[in-house]
Amino acid sequence: MAGATFLSAPALRLGLPSVSSPACRHAHIQVCCQAKSGGSGAEAAAACEEALRFRRRDLIGGCFGAAVGLEIVEGSTRFTGVAAAADLIERRQRSEFQSSIKSTLTAAIEAKPELVPSLLTLALNDAMTYDKATKTGGPNGSIRLSAEISRPENSGLSAALDLLVEAKKEIDSYSKGGPISFADLVQIGASQALKKTFLDAAIAKTGGNEEKGRTLYSAYGSSGQWGFFDKIFGRDDAQEPDPEGRVPQWSTASVQEMKDKFISVGLGPRQVAVMSAFFGPDQAATEEKLIADPDCRPWVEKYQRSRETVSRTDYEVDLITAVTKLSYLGQKINYEAYTYPKQKINLGKLKL
């Protein structure tokens, strides 16, 4: 590759396997560097822009987990500027779109707060179709399909799905990068419903004063803990229902069945305990059942104590972590989803 040298040097350390390894080939990572000589600058820039892309999310999505030093020593300045600027624009597009989605969903949930428990269960059941052995199922939006939403374990969740269907119409109307997937919508819907429960708890701690409750939540709550969840944005919708028999009926399942299901997807009793609000509208009744189990008991008691504190840190942070893990089980995330063409950038006038 003309004009570039790859060294194992500390200047730029990235988590990459060897360039010739299958993991790197599958990551579809392409690096473009301007040739040292030959061809005009405009031609070189055009070749870079047209043929090749080099973005941090490609490294994260395709080559995570290995360590190789990579240093682009020369000839890459123009390309790096183009790639960084394009990446910044796309991340901003996705962030702005996601912010609008959250606003739309928050308004919809505020109008029908009684659907909060169902929105949580809807997201849980969509994710819990994941099968670790075959790497199929998971939070792929298949729960929207009539053959799946009509199953016994999803009884009573249709109203929550209807809320999302209506919200989707509004969201798609202002999207510049294509319609939002149900896979994303179901998980973001649950996150917004969960945030409402957190905020409501803060308001309750201030004697019902909404202004003081919002201040309390802003100062001590977990609103800053959603960063990784927000990055998981770009799930594809399944076109067929996931196989039956993968999701228990939480209201009638034994604690052992609940633990077994969570263990099968890589979680355990701790997550069963912290997600007690996801198993039905009566969290207290669910915890009364869970606390009788020796594996779940210490976690249930821990989270009950945490909910009595001002910050509720242990409960809320662990719950966000569990929800985040569930939200991408078996999914390949398209980190360029919902982006759209942007204006050409004059690097001569751009300050990076």
Side-chain angles (χ1 to χ4, degrees):
M1 182 178 292
T5 305
F6 297 91
L7 302 174
S8 179
L12 179 59
R13 296 222 173 264
L14 299 171
L16 283 169
S18 67
V19 174
S20 60
S21 72
C24 200
R25 288 199 300 271
H26 289 314
H28 305 297
I29 294 179
Q30 302 175 5
V31 180
C32 173
C33 299
Q34 184 179 354
K36 292 181 183 177
S37 63
S40 69
E43 290 172 347
C48 281
E49 183 176 354
E50 173 66 23
L52 301 168
R53 303 289 185 209
F54 181 70
R55 295 192 177 98
R56 179 170 56 256
R57 61 174 158 271
D58 293 323
L59 303 178
I60 295 172
C63 296
F64 182 78
V68 134
L70 170 61
E71 182 180 5
I72 302 177
V73 176
E74 55 182 316
S76 62
T77 304
R78 183 186 299 275
F79 162 72
T80 302
V82 172
D87 188 50
L88 179 61
I89 290 171
E90 290 187 354
R91 280 187 289 146
R92 180 173 294 173
Q93 289 174 351
R94 284 164 54 84
S95 177
E96 290 175 351
F97 181 46
Q98 194 175 63
S99 179
S100 296
I101 293 167
K102 292 175 183 177
S103 295
T104 297
L105 288 171
T106 296
I109 293 168
E110 289 289 347
K112 295 186 177 181
E114 71 278 5
L115 293 180
V116 165
S118 296
L119 286 165
L120 301 181
T121 307
L122 188 76
L124 173 65
N125 286 6
D126 194 38
M128 276 298 185
T129 59
Y130 179 62
D131 180 70
K132 196 173 182 180
T134 61
K135 300 188 185 305
T136 59
N140 55 21
S142 62
I143 200 166
R144 78 190 188 280
L145 301 171
S146 59
E148 191 165 325
I149 192 65
S150 60
R151 291 173 183 169
E153 65 268 22
N154 297 325
S155 176
L157 302 182
S158 293
L161 180 60
D162 289 343
L163 180 148
L164 296 181
V165 169
E166 289 303 310
K168 187 179 190 303
K169 294 176 182 177
E170 180 180 343
I171 292 166
D172 289 349
S173 72
Y174 57 67
S175 173
K176 299 177 182 178
I180 186 173
S181 69
F182 274 96
D184 280 338
L185 189 62
V186 168
Q187 297 304 317
I188 298 174
S191 74
Q192 294 307 110
L194 198 56
K195 289 173 188 177
K196 175 174 170 51
T197 69
F198 294 167
L199 177 58
D200 287 350
I203 292 172
K205 288 183 182 296
T206 60
N209 186 306
E210 183 172 345
E211 182 179 355
K212 290 183 178 180
R214 289 184 180 278
T215 301
L216 176 65
Y217 182 57
S218 177
Y220 296 102
S222 58
S223 57
Q225 302 297 319
W226 291 94
F228 187 55
F229 178 93
D230 288 342
K231 287 181 173 65
I232 307 166
F233 185 45
R235 306 168 185 81
D236 287 331
D237 278 341
Q239 301 306 312
E240 299 290 337
D242 287 332
E244 293 188 65
R246 292 185 176 183
V247 182
Q249 289 184 250
W250 305 113
S251 60
T252 58
S254 68
V255 176
Q256 188 61 52
E257 288 173 328
M258 298 165 78
K259 291 191 301 181
D260 288 346
K261 180 57 192 178
F262 271 66
I263 290 169
S264 75
V265 300
L267 302 175
R270 180 176 187 169
Q271 287 76 34
V272 172
V274 79
M275 295 189 73
S276 57
F278 283 66
F279 301 121
D282 193 341
Q283 184 178 17
T286 300
E287 290 188 337
E288 185 178 351
K289 180 167 75 171
L290 295 177
I291 208 166
D293 180 86
D295 294 326
C296 293
R297 183 183 183 90
W299 297 112
V300 173
E301 291 177 339
K302 174 182 179 177
Y303 297 131
Q304 287 177 338
R305 289 193 299 270
S306 177
R307 292 200 298 269
E308 294 301 315
T309 66
V310 172
S311 67
R312 297 166 33 112
T313 299
D314 287 344
Y315 172 67
E316 292 187 5
V317 171
D318 282 8
L319 183 49
I320 292 169
T321 301
V323 168
T324 300
K325 289 179 179 178
L326 280 171
S327 74
Y328 65 92
L329 288 174
Q331 305 309 297
K332 294 180 180 179
I333 307 301
N334 176 9
Y335 290 99
E336 295 182 10
Y338 312 119
T339 60
Y340 47 91
K342 50 270 179 189
Q343 294 178 342
K344 296 291 184 180
I345 301 169
N346 186 338
L347 292 179
K349 298 181 179 179
L350 186 64
K351 295 180 180 180
L352 296 176

